[in-house]
Amino acid sequence: MENFIFENSTKAYFGKGCVSQYLPNLLSQYGKTVMVAYGGGSIKRTGIYDEIMEILTKAGKDVVEFTGIMANPTYAKVLEGAKLAKEHDVDLILAVGGGSVMDCCKAVSLAAVYDGDVWNDFWAKAGTIEVQPLPLGIIMTVSGTGSEMNGGAVITNEDVKVKTGRDYMELNARFALLDPLYTYTVPKLQMVSGAFDSFTHMMETYFSAPDADNVSDSINEALMKSVVRNLRKAIENPEDYEARSNLVWLSTMAENRILKLGKKGDFQGHILEHSLGAFTNCNHGCGLAVLLPVYYRHIKVAGAEKFARFASEVWGISPEGKTTAELANDGVEALASFVKEIGLPTTLRELGMTDDQREWLPQIAAGCVVSPGSYKHLEGDEILAIFEEAW
């Protein structure tokens, strides 16, 4: 394994009733003003909002609400939240929702205390955080991104049509409350696409150097098999607590940095989807479902040994009578079949792009940088070919 330093400062509280059990004491550790951040208001329809507000009221907190965080949070929304936090002298940001809310609030926690241009200094390029971001706590209602236990935040700058993510340890939430029952409130598509997003996080770490025997790959294979098994169960019975709770923790395990230890990582698939999302505002997991199988068809020869192992260890495909190249191909096609099985889109047209929007593909491709961790160095023409083949 390669050298690494491991750190994760977020304390996770997992299980039924964890919000009511632990949030009151956690709130006592922060000042009087809490900014409660959420998306379109679904937490009000489901009763989660009332539960949290009751706890905040009993704790004697002054509440500032930051609402309307969109599925792909924009830099403009980050600046809106930062302005609100500054105006009300917020002591704690409480992000209630899925990855988009979490990501936006991480960026807000920095922008609220930073005097410079947060986009240019920390998202357009990697920067060094030398200020103390506002404390952030998370109450997860949608699993998939794993954002609850890392410092990663994906932000879209609409002015320049760039969607990019950075992971800063300083932006980790202080605490994350993970009640699997809260995830029952999301629509089926959101549950499925979120679980597939978790799966892609695992694959994009797995399909990278080193390929010699290492702990990260062994853990990853077990987790990928668990995603497949539990997602099938959750689709069959959305109220299967065992399956839904497993999916929540699988999401966290995929992105709490443990799997990445000693691995180079290849997040070319996410790079492709981020550029696509900047133009189309598509569902993130659905965009990945369209693009990952196509991308892997392009790199399966260069990474044949690993894709063959993926076929046998994750999908249970027998290697008997097959060459490494044939087994590698079987692994990629098993993934493509799984995308169809769980009901996610398999083409950009199924994703919702129109014929008129096909002319965007060269611009979308041009917005993609090349991942240094990929088994194959992609040139610009091949990146465009991936989008064309995904059409």
Side-chain angles (χ1 to χ4, degrees), residues 307-370:
F307 280 100
R309 178 173 164 180
F310 177 66
S312 58
E313 297 299 327
V314 176
W315 300 109
I317 300 171
S318 172
E320 187 174 351
K322 294 179 179 175
T323 65
T324 299
E326 289 170 338
L327 190 58
N329 181 71
D330 288 348
V332 175
E333 296 313 314
L335 171 64
S337 295
F338 183 62
V339 170
K340 290 182 181 179
E341 175 192 337
I342 61 180
L344 293 182
T346 60
T347 67
L348 293 175
R349 295 187 74 172
E350 287 181 15
L351 188 63
M353 289 188 71
T354 64
D355 289 337
D356 289 343
Q357 292 172 336
R358 188 169 186 172
E359 66 184 31
W360 295 353
L361 296 186
Q363 291 176 273
I364 294 171
C368 299
V369 297
V370 175

Side-chain angles (χ1 to χ4, degrees), residues 206-228:
Y206 184 72
F207 293 122
S208 72
D211 293 312
D213 186 27
N214 65 84
V215 174
S216 295
D217 282 348
S218 296
I219 295 173
N220 212 333
E221 288 165 354
L223 295 179
M224 286 189 283
K225 287 191 289 186
S226 188
V227 171
V228 173

Side-chain angles (χ1 to χ4, degrees), residues 15-332:
K16 296 177 183 178
C18 65
V19 175
S20 59
Q21 182 176 359
Y22 296 111
L23 184 58
N25 181 60
L26 289 167
L27 290 172
S28 70
Q29 301 171 34
Y30 301 93
K32 190 171 179 61
T33 305
V34 177
M35 185 165 81
V36 178
Y38 54 94
S42 62
I43 63 169
K44 291 186 175 181
R45 296 190 295 273
T46 59
I48 293 173
Y49 174 88
D50 290 338
E51 179 184 355
I52 293 169
M53 292 302 293
E54 183 178 355
I55 293 171
L56 288 164
T57 300
K58 287 182 178 178
K61 301 298 183 182
D62 293 333
V63 176
V64 177
E65 295 192 33
F66 174 41
T67 68
I69 299 174
M70 60 287 290
N72 291 298
T74 64
Y75 183 48
K77 195 67 180 177
V78 169
L79 295 179
E80 177 188 330
K83 183 173 183 287
L84 195 63
K86 290 177 183 178
E87 288 175 349
H88 293 272
D89 197 19
V90 166
D91 298 298
L92 171 70
I93 301 172
L94 191 59
V96 185
S100 298
V101 174
M102 301 176 204
D103 286 14
C104 184
C105 287
K106 289 175 193 175
V108 168
S109 75
L110 176 59
V113 299
Y114 184 69
D115 292 332
D117 187 314
V118 172
W119 175 265
N120 284 336
D121 294 345
F122 299 103
W123 269 266
K125 62 179 185 296
T128 301
I129 296 177
E130 297 178 337
V131 295
Q132 182 64 53
L134 283 181
L136 170 66
I138 284 171
I139 298 176
M140 190 200 67
T141 64
V142 186
S143 68
T145 68
S147 186
E148 58 272 9
M149 280 192 73
N150 62 44
V154 180
I155 305 298
T156 300
N157 188 322
E158 292 182 302
D159 291 340
V160 294
K161 289 194 180 300
V162 173
K163 177 180 177 182
T164 192
R166 302 289 180 187
D167 185 359
Y168 296 103
M169 291 184 181
E170 296 85 355
L171 298 186
N172 267 61
R174 303 288 182 88
F175 61 86
L177 296 158
L178 315 175
D179 186 338
L181 292 178
Y182 280 17
T183 70
Y184 285 26
T185 63
V186 304
K188 178 182 176 182
L189 176 62
Q190 199 166 2
M191 182 268 287
V192 174
S193 65
F196 187 78
D197 187 18
S198 301
F199 195 43
T200 67
H201 294 157
M202 296 170 187
M203 288 189 291
E204 289 190 307
T205 300
Y206 184 72
F207 293 122
S208 72
D211 293 312
D213 186 27
N214 65 84
V215 174
S216 295
D217 282 348
S218 296
I219 295 173
N220 212 333
E221 288 165 354
L223 295 179
M224 286 189 283
K225 287 191 289 186
S226 188
V227 171
V228 173
R229 181 172 64 253
N230 284 286
L231 182 51
R232 284 170 171 162
K233 288 181 180 179
I235 290 172
E236 182 178 350
N237 177 14
E239 296 191 2
D240 182 333
Y241 181 79
E242 180 182 78
R244 297 299 291 268
S245 62
N246 282 337
L247 289 175
V248 168
W249 192 243
L250 285 163
S251 166
T252 303
M253 281 294 295
E255 278 295 319
N256 62 5
R257 302 194 182 102
I258 288 176
L259 288 185
K260 296 177 181 179
L261 299 177
K263 293 289 293 182
K264 191 170 184 179
D266 168 27
F267 291 89
Q268 187 70 61
H270 267 70
I271 293 169
L272 296 172
E273 196 287 327
H274 285 168
S275 188
L276 176 67
F279 280 79
T280 67
N281 198 34
C282 64
N283 174 286
H284 179 56
C286 290
L288 290 166
V290 171
L291 294 171
L292 259 293
V294 182
Y295 168 58
Y296 286 151
R297 290 183 186 120
H298 277 253
I299 69 168
K300 66 184 179 184
V301 173
E305 294 285 347
K306 199 57 164 290
F307 280 100
R309 178 173 164 180
F310 177 66
S312 58
E313 297 299 327
V314 176
W315 300 109
I317 300 171
S318 172
E320 187 174 351
K322 294 179 179 175
T323 65
T324 299
E326 289 170 338
L327 190 58
N329 181 71
D330 288 348
V332 175

